[in-house]
Amino acid sequence: MSRRLRRDSVRLFLDRLLEHAQGPARLTLVQIVDGTALEIRGHSKDRQAGYGFGSGRMAKGYKLHLLLDSAGAIVQWRIAPMNVNEKVMALRMVLRTDALTYVVADGEYDSNPLHRAVTSKGGQLVVPRRKTAKRLGHIRHAPGRLRSIALLEGPSPFGRDLLKTRANIERFFGNADSHSEALGELPAWVRTHRRVRTWVHAKLIINAVRISHLRSHAQVA
């Protein structure tokens, strides 16, 4: 079974299964990007795991990086060691996305390369300034970054209202951790990048089916 799971055909099947579980693809007004920690025990000998900032503290393990639409469907996702920069993973997801609208994130994602990448896909990145970047300085900034600052710090509440939709991805992570087949601390047998990715892939599919089931029952009620 482990050998079969390595095949590209099986990974493609899992991708299609996740898409089917989420329902028809649609372009929403807002997409959200963020990551969540997948911790392992500090004594683990998994050499592919990394040390980084996890759930409020330094930890060892991996991170699930998500680009989510405002309806709760996954647009792109990646697994990386905990120490890989979130902006790097966000950039990879954005470049693999066909079209974007407003992409919201926290201040950790405030970077000119990411602003340019989102703009190249027809979207606008909306992020607060990093705590260390209160002044623009003398470097040349991406037009998208200047517009993000204007949206969030100008008189109109539109940009600040957009930023509030970040709660959707926090709600997604919370729901994904709230049932018996949840994401969370990785089991002892889930080690190395390949196995972590396969395990998370299955969890995302289970969560999508669970959400679809709950929505169908809510409509009937």
Side-chain angles (χ1 to χ4, degrees):
M1 186 65 184
S2 182
R3 288 195 297 271
R4 290 177 181 174
L5 286 171
R6 300 177 197 179
R7 296 177 182 174
D8 291 339
S9 58
V10 175
R11 289 180 60 174
L12 182 61
F13 168 74
L14 293 175
D15 286 337
R16 295 293 178 266
L17 189 57
L18 178 58
E19 291 173 6
H20 178 74
Q22 292 188 143
R26 64 280 198 198
L27 184 62
T28 59
L29 176 64
V30 180
Q31 294 87 38
I32 311 109
V33 63
D34 205 352
T36 189
L38 303 169
E39 297 183 15
I40 63 175
R41 299 296 176 87
H43 57 72
S44 172
K45 296 181 181 179
D46 183 356
R47 295 182 179 179
Q48 294 180 10
Y51 282 96
F53 195 73
S55 302
R57 58 188 174 85
M58 294 297 291
K60 184 178 182 180
Y62 298 83
K63 266 191 177 181
L64 166 61
H65 301 268
L66 276 186
L67 179 62
L68 197 75
D69 71 23
S70 56
I74 297 169
V75 180
Q76 293 283 338
W77 67 280
R78 295 289 187 278
I79 295 292
M82 193 88 78
N83 58 324
V84 175
N85 192 291
E86 291 181 328
K87 292 189 286 290
V88 171
M89 300 310 297
L91 186 61
R92 292 179 185 177
M93 292 190 292
V94 164
L95 292 176
R96 290 296 301 273
T97 305
D98 293 331
L100 294 167
T101 47
Y102 288 99
V103 179
V104 301
D106 61 39
E108 293 298 320
Y109 294 88
D110 183 27
S111 75
N112 282 303
L114 188 55
H115 278 284
R116 293 189 184 99
V118 173
T119 300
S120 73
K121 297 295 180 176
Q124 169 63 49
L125 181 62
V126 180
V127 293
R129 295 199 216 190
R130 296 191 309 276
K131 293 179 180 179
T132 57
K134 292 301 181 183
R135 294 183 177 84
L136 291 175
H138 300 289
I139 66 172
R140 185 176 181 181
H141 293 277
R145 185 163 189 257
L146 298 176
R147 182 161 186 248
S148 174
I149 292 170
L151 283 168
L152 293 175
E153 300 178 16
S156 171
F158 178 69
R160 294 183 286 279
D161 289 340
L162 282 175
L163 196 60
K164 292 177 183 177
T165 60
R166 274 198 64 249
N168 288 7
I169 201 165
E170 294 170 0
R171 193 176 299 115
F172 178 93
F173 287 138
N175 288 336
D177 276 337
S178 64
H179 55 93
S180 59
E181 296 297 329
L183 291 167
E185 184 176 300
L186 295 171
W189 52 271
V190 181
R191 296 294 181 266
T192 73
H193 185 277
R194 177 181 61 81
R195 289 185 178 180
V196 172
R197 189 188 189 283
T198 303
W199 184 84
V200 171
H201 209 164
K203 294 295 183 180
L204 293 177
I205 292 168
I206 292 169
N207 192 57
V209 172
R210 173 178 168 271
I211 291 172
S212 177
H213 182 70
L214 291 173
R215 285 176 176 171
S216 63
H217 272 264
Q219 290 173 356
V220 171

